[in-house]
Amino acid sequence: MRFMVMVKGDSDTEAGAPPPTELLDAMTRYNEELVRAGVLLDANGLAPSSDGALVSFSNGEPTVIDGPFAEAKELVAGYWVLDVKSLEEAIEWVKRVPADPDVEAEIEIRPVFEGTDFGEQMTDEIRDRFERMARSIADKRG
């Protein structure tokens, strides 16, 4: 099962402040451990929302809003995509994330939908197209 693990933002991440060297080193060691265990599919930190845009849709029409966005705690500052056996295993990995003891933090864990989760709406044709697209993406990542 794949899980998206999202690190919530705070005033430091929204300011674009880099983490202290010690935390960056600890996080790199943690990510290396995830790689050695074979569970890490992707991981990245995200730039502040002031560097981004928000596209909202009303009646099917897009409206673009330049960042920054809402409350920092409602934003995602970084993420991992893990491939593990269960939510419980994902939780065990996340409990090991290096954390700055001086900073309150939240990490959200959510399952990633698989094609089979969409039931009969996922027709054979759509499934085939989706699988071709996934293979193409994997090939590009090498």
Side-chain angles (χ1 to χ4, degrees):
M1 297 179 72
R2 292 178 300 153
F3 289 88
M4 172 69 82
V5 177
M6 297 166 279
V7 177
K8 298 295 182 121
D10 61 24
S11 58
D12 288 339
T13 61
E14 275 300 283
T21 300
E22 299 79 19
L23 184 56
L24 195 55
D25 180 54
M27 195 62 72
T28 301
R29 283 194 311 272
Y30 173 74
N31 288 340
E32 290 168 338
E33 189 176 349
L34 292 169
V35 170
R36 281 192 301 275
V39 300
L40 183 63
L41 298 178
D42 194 13
N44 279 295
L46 301 176
S49 67
S50 59
D51 293 343
L54 178 67
V55 180
S56 63
F57 291 84
S58 179
N59 297 318
E61 294 296 319
T63 300
V64 177
I65 302 164
D66 293 328
F69 310 134
E71 177 77 26
K73 293 186 332 187
E74 297 174 9
L75 299 172
V76 176
Y79 69 92
W80 291 273
V81 179
L82 304 180
D83 188 4
V84 295
K85 292 180 179 73
S86 64
L87 176 59
E88 292 73 24
E89 184 180 353
I91 290 168
E92 288 306 312
W93 277 109
V94 170
K95 286 166 58 175
R96 296 168 57 188
V97 169
D100 184 338
D102 298 326
V103 177
E104 293 292 318
E106 285 186 341
I107 297 178
E108 181 177 344
I109 306 168
R110 293 180 43 197
V112 174
F113 277 131
E114 304 292 341
T116 56
D117 295 324
F118 294 106
E120 64 188 37
Q121 290 88 340
M122 179 66 86
T123 65
D124 289 342
E125 178 192 347
I126 295 171
R127 182 178 298 103
D128 290 345
R129 288 172 36 214
F130 184 83
E131 288 172 358
R132 280 194 306 274
M133 178 186 62
R135 281 193 301 276
S136 176
I137 292 167
D139 290 346
K140 285 184 181 187
R141 295 192 113 193

